Amino acid sequence: MPPNAPAALPATTLVACLCAGWCRVCDDYHAVFAALREQHPGYRFVWVDIEDDAELVGDLEVETFPTLLVGQGQQLRFIGPVTPQLATAQRLLAALDQGPAVAPSPAAQALLSRLQQSC
C-alpha cells in the first residue's frame, strides 16, 4: 500500500429489524432494539417496516416477526426470526463474531446491499 493511501475501513455491522406496523410483538421489540443500539454504538441499526418499505425489502419474504438481518459489510451474517427478549439478541450478536457467515438467499443478500447503500 502506498504511504499516503488511506487505511481500509472496517466492515460496518448493520443490524436491521424487519417488522410490520400491525405486529404487536414488533411494537414491544422497539425497546429491545433501542437497548441493543445503546450497547453497540459502533453498529448501524435500522428499523424496516416490510410494508411501508416494500420497495426497499424487494422480493424477500418475511413470515415471522421480529426478523433480524445482520451484515458485516456486504457479508450476510444472519437472517431469521428472533424471540423478543434482549438476552436472545445479545447472544446472537455476540455469536456472530465467532461463527461463519450464512449462505444467503439472493433476496436477503440484495436487501443487505440496499440497506448498506441507503442507510
PDB file of all heavy atoms in Angstrom, residues 56-69:
ATOM      1  N   LEU A  56     -37.873  -1.196  -0.779  1.00  0.00           N
ATOM      2  CA  LEU A  56     -36.549  -1.483  -0.233  1.00  0.00           C
ATOM      3  C   LEU A  56     -36.398  -2.975   0.051  1.00  0.00           C
ATOM      4  O   LEU A  56     -35.378  -3.582  -0.273  1.00  0.00           O
ATOM      5  CB  LEU A  56     -36.323  -0.679   1.045  1.00  0.00           C
ATOM      6  CG  LEU A  56     -35.006  -0.901   1.781  1.00  0.00           C
ATOM      7  CD1 LEU A  56     -33.836  -0.393   0.944  1.00  0.00           C
ATOM      8  CD2 LEU A  56     -35.039  -0.206   3.130  1.00  0.00           C
ATOM      9  N   VAL A  57     -37.416  -3.588   0.635  1.00  0.00           N
ATOM     10  CA  VAL A  57     -37.369  -5.008   1.004  1.00  0.00           C
ATOM     11  C   VAL A  57     -37.288  -5.896  -0.228  1.00  0.00           C
ATOM     12  O   VAL A  57     -36.628  -6.936  -0.213  1.00  0.00           O
ATOM     13  CB  VAL A  57     -38.585  -5.375   1.889  1.00  0.00           C
ATOM     14  CG1 VAL A  57     -38.637  -6.875   2.158  1.00  0.00           C
ATOM     15  CG2 VAL A  57     -38.531  -4.598   3.203  1.00  0.00           C
ATOM     16  N   GLY A  58     -37.938  -5.500  -1.299  1.00  0.00           N
ATOM     17  CA  GLY A  58     -37.855  -6.267  -2.545  1.00  0.00           C
ATOM     18  C   GLY A  58     -38.576  -7.593  -2.456  1.00  0.00           C
ATOM     19  O   GLY A  58     -39.663  -7.690  -1.901  1.00  0.00           O
ATOM     20  N   ASP A  59     -37.939  -8.638  -2.952  1.00  0.00           N
ATOM     21  CA  ASP A  59     -38.559  -9.963  -3.053  1.00  0.00           C
ATOM     22  C   ASP A  59     -38.430 -10.808  -1.794  1.00  0.00           C
ATOM     23  O   ASP A  59     -38.899 -11.945  -1.774  1.00  0.00           O
ATOM     24  CB  ASP A  59     -37.945 -10.739  -4.219  1.00  0.00           C
ATOM     25  CG  ASP A  59     -38.275 -10.113  -5.564  1.00  0.00           C
ATOM     26  OD1 ASP A  59     -39.322  -9.445  -5.666  1.00  0.00           O
ATOM     27  OD2 ASP A  59     -37.474 -10.279  -6.498  1.00  0.00           O
ATOM     28  N   LEU A  60     -37.804 -10.296  -0.766  1.00  0.00           N
ATOM     29  CA  LEU A  60     -37.608 -11.083   0.453  1.00  0.00           C
ATOM     30  C   LEU A  60     -38.947 -11.343   1.138  1.00  0.00           C
ATOM     31  O   LEU A  60     -39.708 -10.411   1.393  1.00  0.00           O
ATOM     32  CB  LEU A  60     -36.661 -10.363   1.410  1.00  0.00           C
ATOM     33  CG  LEU A  60     -36.337 -11.123   2.693  1.00  0.00           C
ATOM     34  CD1 LEU A  60     -35.495 -12.351   2.385  1.00  0.00           C
ATOM     35  CD2 LEU A  60     -35.607 -10.215   3.670  1.00  0.00           C
ATOM     36  N   GLU A  61     -39.226 -12.600   1.431  1.00  0.00           N
ATOM     37  CA  GLU A  61     -40.447 -12.979   2.142  1.00  0.00           C
ATOM     38  C   GLU A  61     -40.136 -13.062   3.634  1.00  0.00           C
ATOM     39  O   GLU A  61     -39.282 -13.843   4.050  1.00  0.00           O
ATOM     40  CB  GLU A  61     -40.961 -14.334   1.653  1.00  0.00           C
ATOM     41  CG  GLU A  61     -41.447 -14.310   0.229  1.00  0.00           C
ATOM     42  CD  GLU A  61     -42.728 -13.504   0.048  1.00  0.00           C
ATOM     43  OE1 GLU A  61     -43.555 -13.475   0.973  1.00  0.00           O
ATOM     44  OE2 GLU A  61     -42.871 -12.886  -1.028  1.00  0.00           O
ATOM     45  N   VAL A  62     -40.819 -12.257   4.430  1.00  0.00           N
ATOM     46  CA  VAL A  62     -40.669 -12.294   5.879  1.00  0.00           C
ATOM     47  C   VAL A  62     -41.969 -12.839   6.438  1.00  0.00           C
ATOM     48  O   VAL A  62     -43.023 -12.248   6.259  1.00  0.00           O
ATOM     49  CB  VAL A  62     -40.369 -10.885   6.454  1.00  0.00           C
ATOM     50  CG1 VAL A  62     -40.229 -10.947   7.964  1.00  0.00           C
ATOM     51  CG2 VAL A  62     -39.113 -10.306   5.809  1.00  0.00           C
ATOM     52  N   GLU A  63     -41.870 -13.983   7.115  1.00  0.00           N
ATOM     53  CA  GLU A  63     -43.075 -14.646   7.599  1.00  0.00           C
ATOM     54  C   GLU A  63     -43.241 -14.568   9.104  1.00  0.00           C
ATOM     55  O   GLU A  63     -44.345 -14.706   9.611  1.00  0.00           O
ATOM     56  CB  GLU A  63     -43.064 -16.108   7.154  1.00  0.00           C
ATOM     57  CG  GLU A  63     -43.092 -16.253   5.647  1.00  0.00           C
ATOM     58  CD  GLU A  63     -43.015 -17.694   5.187  1.00  0.00           C
ATOM     59  OE1 GLU A  63     -43.131 -18.608   6.025  1.00  0.00           O
ATOM     60  OE2 GLU A  63     -42.835 -17.900   3.981  1.00  0.00           O
ATOM     61  N   THR A  64     -42.142 -14.376   9.841  1.00  0.00           N
ATOM     62  CA  THR A  64     -42.186 -14.363  11.293  1.00  0.00           C
ATOM     63  C   THR A  64     -41.552 -13.067  11.794  1.00  0.00           C
ATOM     64  O   THR A  64     -40.504 -12.660  11.307  1.00  0.00           O
ATOM     65  CB  THR A  64     -41.427 -15.582  11.862  1.00  0.00           C
ATOM     66  OG1 THR A  64     -41.964 -16.773  11.275  1.00  0.00           O
ATOM     67  CG2 THR A  64     -41.577 -15.663  13.366  1.00  0.00           C
ATOM     68  N   PHE A  65     -42.193 -12.465  12.776  1.00  0.00           N
ATOM     69  CA  PHE A  65     -41.725 -11.186  13.306  1.00  0.00           C
ATOM     70  C   PHE A  65     -41.403 -11.314  14.786  1.00  0.00           C
ATOM     71  O   PHE A  65     -42.092 -12.038  15.492  1.00  0.00           O
ATOM     72  CB  PHE A  65     -42.802 -10.114  13.116  1.00  0.00           C
ATOM     73  CG  PHE A  65     -43.177  -9.919  11.686  1.00  0.00           C
ATOM     74  CD1 PHE A  65     -44.341 -10.476  11.182  1.00  0.00           C
ATOM     75  CD2 PHE A  65     -42.380  -9.189  10.840  1.00  0.00           C
ATOM     76  CE1 PHE A  65     -44.701 -10.308   9.862  1.00  0.00           C
ATOM     77  CE2 PHE A  65     -42.725  -9.014   9.510  1.00  0.00           C
ATOM     78  CZ  PHE A  65     -43.893  -9.572   9.025  1.00  0.00           C
ATOM     79  N   PRO A  66     -40.406 -10.584  15.274  1.00  0.00           N
ATOM     80  CA  PRO A  66     -39.449  -9.806  14.500  1.00  0.00           C
ATOM     81  C   PRO A  66     -38.412 -10.703  13.835  1.00  0.00           C
ATOM     82  O   PRO A  66     -38.077 -11.764  14.329  1.00  0.00           O
ATOM     83  CB  PRO A  66     -38.802  -8.896  15.542  1.00  0.00           C
ATOM     84  CG  PRO A  66     -38.929  -9.640  16.833  1.00  0.00           C
ATOM     85  CD  PRO A  66     -40.187 -10.450  16.724  1.00  0.00           C
ATOM     86  N   THR A  67     -37.928 -10.257  12.700  1.00  0.00           N
ATOM     87  CA  THR A  67     -36.834 -10.913  11.990  1.00  0.00           C
ATOM     88  C   THR A  67     -35.662  -9.942  11.971  1.00  0.00           C
ATOM     89  O   THR A  67     -35.837  -8.764  11.691  1.00  0.00           O
ATOM     90  CB  THR A  67     -37.253 -11.278  10.551  1.00  0.00           C
ATOM     91  OG1 THR A  67     -38.168 -12.385  10.618  1.00  0.00           O
ATOM     92  CG2 THR A  67     -36.070 -11.687   9.701  1.00  0.00           C
ATOM     93  N   LEU A  68     -34.483 -10.459  12.304  1.00  0.00           N
ATOM     94  CA  LEU A  68     -33.273  -9.637  12.240  1.00  0.00           C
ATOM     95  C   LEU A  68     -32.444 -10.042  11.036  1.00  0.00           C
ATOM     96  O   LEU A  68     -32.350 -11.227  10.692  1.00  0.00           O
ATOM     97  CB  LEU A  68     -32.417  -9.803  13.497  1.00  0.00           C
ATOM     98  CG  LEU A  68     -32.948  -9.207  14.785  1.00  0.00           C
ATOM     99  CD1 LEU A  68     -31.911  -9.368  15.905  1.00  0.00           C
ATOM    100  CD2 LEU A  68     -33.318  -7.753  14.626  1.00  0.00           C
ATOM    101  N   LEU A  69     -31.859  -9.046  10.407  1.00  0.00           N
ATOM    102  CA  LEU A  69     -30.885  -9.230   9.341  1.00  0.00           C
ATOM    103  C   LEU A  69     -29.619  -8.552   9.832  1.00  0.00           C
ATOM    104  O   LEU A  69     -29.657  -7.387  10.236  1.00  0.00           O
ATOM    105  CB  LEU A  69     -31.378  -8.587   8.050  1.00  0.00           C
ATOM    106  CG  LEU A  69     -30.434  -8.661   6.854  1.00  0.00           C
ATOM    107  CD1 LEU A  69     -31.233  -8.819   5.572  1.00  0.00           C
ATOM    108  CD2 LEU A  69     -29.536  -7.457   6.772  1.00  0.00           C
TER     109      LEU A  69
END
